Amino acid sequence: MYKTFTSIIIFSLYILNAWCYKPVILLHGILTGFESMELIKTRIQQKHPGTIAYNIESFGGWSSLDNMNYQVKKISEEFNNYTAMHPDGIHLLGYSQGALLARTLLQNNPNHTIQTFISLSGPQAGQYGTQFLHLYFPGLALETAFELFYSRVGQHTSVGNYWNDPFHNKLYMEYSQYLPFVNNEIPSNASEQFKTALTKLKTMVLIGGPDDNVITPWQSSQFGYYDSNGTVINFMERDIYKDDKIGLKTLLQQKKLKILTVPGMNHFDWHCNVSVVDNYILPYLD
């Protein structure tokens, strides 16, 4: 009798936990697939039993190099289905390019029910670095990469869409079809929507670190970036924050923006490290 009663209590607690933890949407990085996010998914479900995790499979491998706006358009239906299924709230986590893609999904779908958005080493302010460039475009030189990326051909690639050459800002603003709009550097009919969709979050978590060695500058993962002289400036010194273009200042003032700097992490380790999940992701998932 005692054992039966104990079993019922344990089972009831498990069910209670399952209801307590909100679902999570996971979005993988460039030239990988949903499999690369399985460690994060498994660890979340180990530590938060009963958590529903949706690991988006779209645009794996070489298809991750497709135009970012195209990817957003194709994934939006799946994304909206997940959020609609959970009107009481759901979390969103993206890694690397997937972190930028995830944010864009938020901004393009203002009726989302995302409560917490976690960006794990994502190029939120853009990318300009040899380490990253040579992984996928080994024949290109850093200084002349703009000649490819700031062209009609280059804008067919995801990397070209968020390539942000600080020494060719005029071309970036003229040719880039994605990042200047997503960050409201160029006003559009969707500008207010983009800001509203982000500021409705309960929490935005930006994770990055100085030993990343791929996201360049690494501060881009926290909206910092180069100025026109090639000097990295903190996100709070940039117009995107000072003018509250996408709501970063609003989020910070409301204590919804969390900036987490983690040393000692290589870019390819973020999503494969249990301690990262335990210490910097799980605390923001309820």
Side-chain angles (χ1 to χ4, degrees):
M1 183 71 176
Y2 176 77
K3 289 184 178 180
T4 301
F5 179 75
T6 302
S7 297
I8 292 173
I9 293 296
I10 293 173
F11 180 74
S12 298
L13 288 173
Y14 181 88
I15 295 298
L16 182 61
N17 281 336
W19 281 104
C20 284
Y21 296 121
K22 290 181 173 59
V24 182
I25 301 172
L26 303 173
L27 192 54
H28 65 82
I30 193 170
L31 289 183
T32 61
F34 73 97
E35 302 91 347
S36 66
M37 302 298 285
E38 284 296 307
L39 181 141
I40 292 179
K41 174 183 175 181
T42 300
R43 188 61 175 174
I44 290 172
Q45 293 177 327
Q46 285 175 346
K47 302 296 283 187
H48 290 178
T51 300
I52 299 171
Y54 302 105
N55 197 357
I56 292 179
E57 299 185 17
S58 304
F59 295 98
W62 289 104
S63 65
S64 66
L65 288 170
D66 285 353
N67 175 277
M68 291 286 277
N69 287 319
Y70 175 72
Q71 293 191 48
V72 170
K73 180 180 179 180
K74 291 297 183 180
I75 298 175
S76 282
E77 182 177 356
E78 182 180 3
F79 173 82
N80 282 328
N81 286 341
Y82 293 149
T83 61
M85 288 164 56
H86 302 283
D88 293 330
I90 186 170
H91 303 307
L92 174 64
L93 185 153
Y95 161 65
S96 191
Q97 178 179 283
L100 179 56
L101 187 61
R103 173 167 68 90
T104 314
L105 284 165
L106 277 177
Q107 295 180 202
N108 276 268
N109 297 285
N111 295 322
H112 69 78
T113 60
I114 301 298
Q115 291 198 356
T116 299
F117 166 54
I118 301 176
S119 170
L120 186 60
S121 189
Q124 300 296 345
Q127 173 68 25
Y128 181 74
T130 306
Q131 290 275 16
F132 176 88
L133 180 65
H134 288 172
L135 287 172
Y136 312 117
F137 299 91
L140 285 179
L142 177 65
E143 293 77 13
T144 58
F146 74 92
E147 295 175 353
L148 168 62
F149 292 138
Y150 297 155
S151 69
R152 291 180 180 178
V153 173
Q155 285 301 301
H156 283 294
T157 70
S158 63
V159 181
N161 293 152
Y162 54 86
W163 187 256
N164 188 354
D165 188 328
F167 304 108
H168 294 90
N169 185 257
K170 184 177 179 180
L171 292 176
Y172 163 73
M173 298 290 279
E174 181 178 352
Y175 283 96
S176 185
Q177 301 171 2
Y178 172 75
L179 191 64
F181 296 95
V182 171
N183 284 348
N184 279 344
E185 296 172 278
I186 298 177
S188 70
N189 292 333
S191 290
E192 192 59 36
Q193 169 192 303
F194 287 170
K195 182 176 179 178
T196 300
L198 284 187
T199 53
K200 71 182 287 189
L201 289 168
K202 288 191 173 181
T203 310
M204 177 189 280
V205 185
L206 303 175
I207 305 173
D211 302 302
D212 187 274
N213 293 322
V214 170
I215 301 300
T216 310
W218 70 266
Q219 292 90 341
S220 177
S221 59
Q222 301 168 347
F223 285 98
Y225 209 68
Y226 298 112
D227 63 13
S228 59
N229 296 317
T231 300
V232 177
I233 56 176
N234 183 278
F235 80 98
M236 296 181 72
E237 300 173 23
R238 300 183 66 229
D239 289 344
I240 192 172
Y241 176 82
K242 291 189 291 184
D243 297 338
D244 206 20
K245 291 181 180 291
I246 59 172
L248 293 177
K249 179 184 284 188
T250 297
L251 288 168
L252 188 64
Q253 290 175 341
Q254 296 175 351
K255 299 183 179 180
K256 295 179 178 181
L257 181 61
K258 311 298 179 183
I259 306 294
L260 305 182
T261 300
V262 185
M265 293 300 304
N266 182 272
H267 186 72
F268 301 106
D269 293 334
W270 290 107
H271 60 314
C272 302
N273 190 297
V274 170
S275 67
V276 169
V277 183
D278 289 355
N279 296 323
Y280 305 105
I281 293 174
L282 285 173
Y284 296 97
L285 304 180
D286 56 11

